[in-house]
Amino acid sequence: MRTVLVHMPWAAVHVPSLALGILRTAAQRRGHEVTVRYANLDFADWVVGEIEFGRSELQFYTESSYFLGAGDWVFAGALHGMPADGESFARLLADAGASPARIELTRALHRIAPRFVDRVVADLLDLDPDVVGFTTTFQQNTASLAVARLLKERLPGVRIVFGGANCEGPQGVALHRAFGFVDFVVRGEGERTFPALLDAIDQGTVGSDRTEGLSDLPGLCWRAADGTPVANPATEIPLPPEEILPPTYDGFFERMGASVAASWHAPTLLVEGARGCWWGEKHHCTFCGLNGSLMQFRSKSPDAFLAELLDLARRHRVLDFVVVDNIIDMRYFDTVLRALAESDHDLRLHFEVKSNLRRHHFQALGDAGAAQVQPGIENLSSHVLRLMDKGVSGCQNVRSLRDAQSSGVSVSWNYLFGFPGELDGDYTSVLGQLPALHHLDPPAGSMRICIERFSPYFDRPELGFPDRRPAAQYREIYRLPDDDLADLAYLFTAPPRGIGADLAATLGAAVERWRAEHPHSRLTYHDFGDRIMLINSRPAYDWTVLDLTTPAELGLFRALDQPRGAAALARRLRIGPAAVAALLERWTDAGLVFHDEGKYVQLAVEAENQVLMRVRPGVVDETSAAARPAEPPGAERRDTARWEEDRRGAAAG
């Protein structure tokens, strides 16, 4: 029996599919012949010969347009067998701020997409498959459905299987119900269910009038002999970490190396150490829809994870890794990270962490090769962070930005707003302080939150969004009844909450100024013991060098390594409250501290690992020292598939 697993646009082209890699391992261990087709790379090679298309255009669909649905709409005409004129969808894109060039490109791709679908189907027919499986995450749904529909027409006996994050929970049931050419949908973790389904097909217990054993496969959607859709209950027992298999990526890097995509991106490996979220088990962030129905945190043993990481690096001769875990296992700091730091490996890693990490945690990450982290900062107001149930304060988030930079680690994050209960003052109190932060990694942008399926805001309307509906693009993309759309959608809209449009625009403009000024903004310090020298090049402040020499200045600056209130500082340093207040006011004016809800934290980055500034009388000269190996600030957004291909349920097919 021949099984083909397909990875469609708009998956990122520089990383292999973790889901298909894991399922390939699981299926092959059961004796099944499995081929993986990277149709996303096929698309890149095909489309450059059809229209003007390059890296920036690809990034729009793989990284920037998820909340717009542009990538899914591109293949909607191919799915339905009838391209649309595009006028109504163009209006949606325009209302969301898409540029005229991007709108016209989307319409052009919509017109030619059926030709690519036909090409993929022809290639699959040459393989004469018995089973074709599609993994679908983010904007892979319609491209996968379009190929599946045409393939089923031309090869009626083929079994079509869908899985992935877009098939989690009710979404998978709705997809199976609405699209009759999809024979099976695997919901949830697929390491057990998918190989068992292949066994049943291979053994002949599944046919046009036979369904033996299918009812025993957790989470599987299938059809009874009379065609009635059946959805097995999903398991509530998560897969133990020892059964989370390593991926098989053989063939991907050779395929990418022969693709035009090789000139757009350097190849990167995806690796998985854990599933679920240990913070979310106790405090599910109100806006977060990740992890679907299985929030329970499980992680591979440090030895197993380290061995898998190094084995992948050796096998594929790739040093760049994205660890797809929603949150790092804290055990890994004293095990995996220490071992990497002490080894002679030169890996370059990306982790997702919690933003209350301390300086030594970031140093451990930097020493291990973590060039970039995503700490989930999201906002700098303690009040708004409490509304999110983030478990951190605004000053702690700023401390994370500072300490990560001191450790040579780049931070990616977004400034989110639109939370029920937030106040204008939560933003106006921060806006005036943003110029003081311009030397720290800026957010990729600011955005109003959407309602994500599986988030507390979705599951508990009483939290502030009782009147929600599927985002507008779903009706344009799927042309389905409202009940089906309500189950199929992942993104929902509701009347906006929190700050208004004017203040949101002010925040957006301030973030863009931060991004523009960051490349030439620095605030560093060096502690010589008897004095602390600070050096500044942020445009909002007209001083260059500042020496702290008095005992009060030295003690206060060092104490503000952590967020503290004025009264606590006075007690700690045995300095009069008036003197502390005067110093804090002066340092606020100089942009040396950030404050929120009565707490202060100093903003200067340790001079080591930074661009050192050689100071001579009347001259300040920047000289490159230990340059940080970092992506451009904010290289990752929450709405991007770049690093998050499988994060909402890895290995779900």
Side-chain angles (χ1 to χ4, degrees), residues 223-522:
R223 286 184 170 78
D226 63 358
T228 302
V230 179
N232 296 343
T235 183
E236 297 181 359
I237 303 174
L239 200 68
E242 60 271 15
E243 292 190 38
I244 301 175
L245 300 174
T248 299
Y249 290 146
D250 294 350
F252 169 77
F253 294 99
E254 294 80 2
R255 174 66 187 91
M256 183 188 173
S259 169
V260 65
S263 65
W264 297 344
H265 293 283
T268 301
L269 279 162
L270 299 179
V271 65
E272 181 180 36
R275 293 182 188 171
C277 179
W278 52 259
W279 175 256
E281 284 187 87
K282 298 179 180 179
H283 298 275
H284 191 172
C285 298
T286 54
F287 64 92
C288 178
L290 300 180
N291 297 297
S293 57
L294 289 176
M295 181 67 74
Q296 297 96 318
F297 184 74
R298 303 140 282 153
S299 66
K300 298 173 182 177
S301 73
D303 288 344
F305 176 62
L306 181 62
E308 182 178 325
L309 183 73
L310 297 180
D311 179 66
L312 286 169
R314 283 190 291 263
R315 182 184 306 175
H316 300 292
R317 299 182 180 275
V318 173
L319 299 178
D320 284 0
F321 280 84
V322 173
V323 183
V324 301
D325 309 350
N326 290 161
I327 192 167
I328 193 172
D329 183 343
M330 296 300 290
R331 297 180 303 161
Y332 287 1
F333 281 94
D334 291 328
T335 54
V336 174
L337 298 184
R338 178 175 295 175
L340 288 173
E342 294 174 352
S343 74
D344 57 358
H345 300 291
D346 189 23
L347 303 185
R348 188 172 184 269
L349 303 161
H350 173 281
F351 285 94
E352 189 160 345
V353 300
K354 199 169 186 302
S355 64
N356 63 351
L357 293 184
R358 304 296 285 268
R359 173 68 173 82
H360 67 279
H361 292 122
F362 285 111
Q363 191 62 56
L365 286 161
D367 291 344
Q372 187 181 64
V373 296
Q374 183 181 352
I377 287 174
E378 267 100 46
N379 203 285
L380 300 181
S381 162
S382 296
H383 178 234
V384 177
L385 291 164
R386 284 194 297 273
L387 295 175
M388 299 184 199
D389 207 2
K390 291 291 290 185
V392 294
S393 68
C395 283
Q396 284 177 308
N397 278 346
V398 170
R399 182 190 67 187
S400 289
L401 290 170
R402 182 201 69 196
D403 287 351
Q405 188 162 316
S406 289
S407 305
V409 178
S410 180
V411 174
S412 61
W413 63 293
N414 282 285
Y415 212 116
L416 304 182
F417 62 89
F419 297 90
E422 70 183 17
L423 306 170
D424 285 2
D426 297 326
Y427 295 87
T428 56
S429 64
V430 172
L431 283 168
Q433 301 186 75
L434 291 188
L437 309 181
H438 283 182
H439 62 295
L440 303 176
D441 283 334
S446 63
M447 63 186 68
R448 187 175 295 275
I449 61 167
C450 278
I451 313 305
E452 298 182 1
R453 186 183 294 278
F454 309 118
S455 71
Y457 280 147
F458 180 85
D459 292 333
R460 298 171 57 194
E462 70 273 14
L463 292 179
F465 295 101
D467 301 319
R468 62 175 187 266
R469 61 189 182 278
Q473 65 263 27
Y474 289 107
R475 184 176 300 278
E476 297 283 340
I477 292 167
Y478 292 107
R479 309 176 194 175
L480 291 172
D482 289 347
D483 289 346
D484 286 331
L485 288 179
D487 289 339
L488 190 64
Y490 178 74
L491 299 173
F492 293 79
T493 59
R497 304 297 301 271
I499 62 173
D502 290 344
L503 185 52
T506 300
L507 174 65
V511 166
E512 290 309 308
R513 283 196 300 274
W514 185 349
R515 290 173 56 80
E517 293 188 357
H518 174 71
H520 50 270
S521 294
R522 294 289 182 270

Side-chain angles (χ1 to χ4, degrees), residues 10 61 65-66 68-80 82-93 102-114 138-143 146 472-479:
W10 295 94
Y61 297 100
S65 70
Y66 174 55
L68 306 178
D72 267 323
W73 187 79
V74 163
F75 286 94
L79 168 60
H80 301 296
M82 183 176 62
D85 62 21
E87 289 295 334
S88 57
F89 191 75
R91 286 193 294 271
L92 286 179
L93 292 180
R102 290 290 183 255
I103 294 172
E104 184 50 42
L105 174 63
T106 301
R107 296 177 71 173
L109 290 170
H110 181 86
R111 290 190 294 268
I112 67 174
F138 294 111
Q139 295 193 87
Q140 289 181 287
N141 244 20
T142 54
Q473 65 263 27
Y474 289 107
R475 184 176 300 278
E476 297 283 340
I477 292 167
Y478 292 107
R479 309 176 194 175

